[in-house]
Amino acid sequence: MAEHISSNGGRQLRPVLWLLLFVSITANAIASSVGATTASTVISALFGVMALICAGSLVVDHYRHREQ
């Protein structure tokens, strides 16, 4: 039963992860193109890390829910 509930939760999480991935990539590109200040570099790095976490979570979700 708990496996069935977590399976549905994972399916609902996927669109949120895709949205966060696109937002973080866009914000990273904007922060990178603004200029070479310390603040924009830190913000760009944070959004880059967020994008990597979202992408990694999508890969993990894919392998957990794929058909065997």
Side-chain angles (χ1 to χ4, degrees):
M1 175 108 175
E3 189 174 316
H4 178 66
I5 292 170
S6 67
S7 176
N8 287 340
R11 304 259 185 230
Q12 294 171 354
L13 183 63
R14 191 177 292 179
V16 174
L17 287 172
W18 276 110
L19 178 66
L20 286 174
L21 179 64
F22 288 130
V23 168
S24 61
I25 289 172
T26 303
N28 187 2
I30 291 170
S32 295
S33 65
V34 166
T37 64
T38 304
S40 69
T41 303
V42 170
I43 291 170
S44 178
L46 289 174
F47 280 119
V49 168
M50 187 170 131
L52 287 174
I53 290 170
C54 289
S57 298
L58 283 166
V59 169
V60 168
D61 184 64
H62 169 74
Y63 281 111
R64 283 187 181 166
H65 294 104
R66 70 181 177 170
E67 297 293 325
Q68 293 185 3

